[in-house]
Amino acid sequence: MGEFDLDKFKTIATPNDCLVLNTIRHQGPISRADIAKATNLTAPAITYITNKLLDSGIVTEHTIGQSSGGRRPILLAINPDTLNVLVIHISSNRLRGYLVDGELNVISEKEYSVQKMAKDDILELMLSTILDLKKDAKTDILGIGVVVHGPVQSKEGISLFAPNLGWRNVPIKYIVEEKIGLPTFVENDVRAMAIGEFYYGSASDIENMVFLKVGYGIGSAIFIDGKLYRGCGDSAGEIGHTTIDVGGPLCSCGNYGCLEAVASENALVKSMIKSIKEGRSSMVQEMAGGNLEDITPEMIYEAAEKNDNLAGRFLRQTARYLGIGIANAINTFNPELLVIGGGIVKAKSSIEKTMLDTVKDRCLENSFNQCKIEFSQMGEIATIKGAADVVMTAIF
């Protein structure tokens, strides 16, 4: 199987068809009555459209729902066997490829290291991985979602700058579509993860969310009234480059004291290395075999769990800085939910209390009381689902 057969999906002919289909994708299994509530379409219109989707095989009658007083409703869901989507996630050191079904379950996956690979070799590996996964497809492939770190122009499908890959202004969409012949969509890794979290994670029933990914760097995505806010130049959400400490360290962006420069995993490791070099002791040094350059965030998290004083101190410092950044975001956007993802989730037990205390102290009381703050439980699956959702939303 391979190229997308458009005739198979000709049922989806109007905006209302797309609205109903995407409602089923994002909220299914869902009853016809709940689809009507979510879309504000009439019951006859819902019946007509869902019957079309059922006849085409795109949607299936999934199960019987709970009764609210009358007859138990039939719940509708996407037919997982009707389409496939390919997802390629290229991080700073790994390339992962996934083939997913209509319900965004992973069917097949591949993973390769791209450390020290030339930028053109990474592109070739991306194309060969797509071709390998394409062989595993048992039905039509709707399209390809490519996720990269760093800023992108989503509409044009260009990776503007991915420093760890050596990429600048790489036209990924053009390259893949020319070589593979399938519709291709490009998204930043933070936004892809946030989309997955928003539609398929803890945010599935809310309209306004801020997603904060804290890993090597700090990125964010903002949802307002149920839609991803991109800004006029597709660069909204750079909370990691808001100033937290005017006298703070130099950030990768060239400014000083950015949230990323003081609260990212990279900043945490740098602080630990500097402190050990200055003569302070920590079991982290032993974990790294005496080689300070081998220290990882995970070592610091583990040491803190074992009551290492220096590790605990730096994690509390990180938590306070994160708390300030989160309070700023809540005061600015007044979201219902703020989700924290990325590697820092592994340190939840060490940072949560200090972080939340800081947020409460620095937040407007009303905004704080209206906002839930949660750590993501989805991990990489959020990125996969988010990238696949980008493809399906664009085509439907």
Side-chain angles (χ1 to χ4, degrees), residues 3-170:
E3 282 70 14
F4 174 48
D5 179 9
L6 188 60
D7 288 339
K8 182 177 177 181
F9 295 86
K10 62 185 178 182
T11 300
I12 311 164
T14 71
N16 283 345
D17 294 341
C18 296
L19 177 61
V20 171
L21 178 59
N22 285 325
T23 300
I24 295 171
R25 287 200 307 108
H26 290 147
Q27 300 183 34
I30 183 172
S31 69
R32 289 172 176 83
D34 286 338
I35 295 171
K37 290 177 185 176
T39 61
N40 289 320
L41 296 176
T42 65
I46 296 298
T47 298
Y48 173 69
I49 294 170
T50 54
N51 284 344
K52 284 201 302 178
L53 295 174
L54 285 164
D55 290 343
S56 71
I58 300 171
V59 167
T60 184
E61 293 183 337
H62 183 272
T63 187
I64 305 295
Q66 295 295 319
S67 172
S68 57
R71 188 171 60 182
R72 295 175 67 190
I74 297 173
L75 305 184
L76 305 180
I78 293 294
N79 182 353
D81 301 323
T82 197
L83 62 89
N84 287 167
V85 174
L86 290 172
V87 172
I88 301 292
H89 181 191
I90 309 172
S91 62
S92 57
N93 55 18
R94 289 187 296 173
L95 185 150
R96 287 160 288 187
Y98 306 94
L99 177 69
V100 303
D101 66 17
E103 286 189 323
L104 308 189
N105 301 306
V106 175
I107 302 169
S108 178
E109 61 183 281
K110 299 182 184 297
E111 181 174 334
Y112 306 95
S113 171
V114 295
Q115 281 187 316
K116 300 180 181 178
M117 284 184 67
K119 58 183 180 180
D120 290 341
D121 291 339
I122 296 173
L123 288 171
E124 287 300 320
L125 178 61
M126 174 184 69
L127 293 171
S128 65
T129 302
I130 291 171
L131 291 173
D132 287 344
L133 289 168
K134 195 177 172 187
K135 296 173 186 175
D136 296 335
K138 299 295 190 291
T139 187
D140 296 295
I141 297 177
L142 191 65
I144 301 169
V146 180
V147 178
V148 296
H149 73 88
V152 301
Q153 284 184 338
S154 300
K155 186 176 180 180
E156 296 81 4
I158 298 172
S159 170
L160 294 176
F161 184 47
N164 293 332
L165 303 177
W167 287 3
R168 188 181 289 274
N169 297 322
V170 177

Side-chain angles (χ1 to χ4, degrees), residues 67-382:
S67 172
S68 57
R71 188 171 60 182
R72 295 175 67 190
I74 297 173
L75 305 184
L76 305 180
I78 293 294
N79 182 353
D81 301 323
T82 197
L83 62 89
N84 287 167
V85 174
L86 290 172
V87 172
I88 301 292
H89 181 191
I90 309 172
S91 62
S92 57
N93 55 18
R94 289 187 296 173
L95 185 150
R96 287 160 288 187
Y98 306 94
L99 177 69
V100 303
D101 66 17
E103 286 189 323
L104 308 189
N105 301 306
V106 175
I107 302 169
S108 178
E109 61 183 281
K110 299 182 184 297
E111 181 174 334
Y112 306 95
S113 171
V114 295
Q115 281 187 316
K116 300 180 181 178
M117 284 184 67
K119 58 183 180 180
D120 290 341
D121 291 339
I122 296 173
L123 288 171
E124 287 300 320
L125 178 61
M126 174 184 69
L127 293 171
S128 65
T129 302
I130 291 171
L131 291 173
D132 287 344
L133 289 168
K134 195 177 172 187
K135 296 173 186 175
D136 296 335
K138 299 295 190 291
T139 187
D140 296 295
I141 297 177
L142 191 65
I144 301 169
V146 180
V147 178
V148 296
H149 73 88
V152 301
Q153 284 184 338
S154 300
K155 186 176 180 180
E156 296 81 4
I158 298 172
S159 170
L160 294 176
F161 184 47
N164 293 332
L165 303 177
W167 287 3
R168 188 181 289 274
N169 297 322
V170 177
I172 296 175
K173 179 180 176 69
Y174 172 80
I175 291 169
V176 176
E177 290 185 347
E178 183 186 44
K179 296 289 186 182
I180 307 297
L182 285 168
T184 300
F185 305 89
V186 180
E187 190 54 273
N188 162 268
D189 58 347
V190 177
R191 284 182 177 164
M193 181 176 277
I195 290 168
E197 190 75 49
F198 187 75
Y199 287 119
Y200 307 102
S202 56
S204 58
D205 60 347
I206 63 107
E207 293 287 304
N208 300 283
M209 179 189 87
V210 173
F211 179 80
L212 195 67
K213 182 183 179 184
V214 183
Y216 182 87
I218 293 180
S220 66
I222 301 155
F223 287 82
I224 299 174
D225 295 335
K227 295 181 180 179
L228 176 65
Y229 177 67
R230 293 183 178 275
C232 62
D234 205 15
S235 59
E238 290 292 352
I239 293 173
H241 294 293
T242 55
T243 303
I244 299 298
D245 180 359
V246 292
L250 179 67
C251 182
S252 60
C253 71
N255 289 324
Y256 289 85
C258 292
L259 181 62
E260 181 173 301
V262 296
S264 65
E265 290 187 314
N266 185 41
L268 175 66
V269 169
K270 283 184 175 180
S271 295
M272 177 62 75
I273 291 174
K274 181 175 181 290
S275 190
I276 291 174
K277 284 182 176 179
E278 290 172 348
R280 297 177 181 86
S281 62
S282 169
M283 67 174 67
V284 171
Q285 188 170 6
E286 294 178 21
M287 291 178 177
N291 186 353
L292 299 186
E293 299 306 313
D294 290 339
I295 291 176
T296 65
E298 289 75 16
M299 292 177 187
I300 300 174
Y301 304 155
E302 182 181 347
E305 290 279 351
K306 295 178 178 178
N307 298 316
D308 182 87
N309 289 332
L310 196 61
R313 171 186 152 196
F314 283 125
L315 279 173
R316 287 190 296 274
Q317 175 180 286
T318 298
R320 283 191 291 272
Y321 281 131
L322 279 178
I324 295 170
I326 289 169
N328 290 343
I330 292 174
N331 286 340
T332 302
F333 297 106
N334 188 205
E336 300 162 73
L337 176 66
L338 188 142
V339 179
I340 302 162
I344 200 70
V345 172
K346 301 184 186 78
K348 176 183 175 181
S349 61
S350 297
I351 69 170
E352 186 172 28
K353 185 181 185 306
T354 300
M355 182 190 75
L356 292 178
D357 286 346
T358 305
V359 175
K360 185 175 182 179
D361 288 344
R362 293 177 176 268
C363 227
L364 295 173
E365 183 177 359
N366 187 51
S367 296
F368 177 79
N369 290 337
Q370 291 176 333
C371 182
K372 292 189 296 182
I373 300 173
E374 297 181 0
F375 286 81
S376 173
Q377 299 180 14
M378 293 184 71
E380 173 68 1
I381 196 66

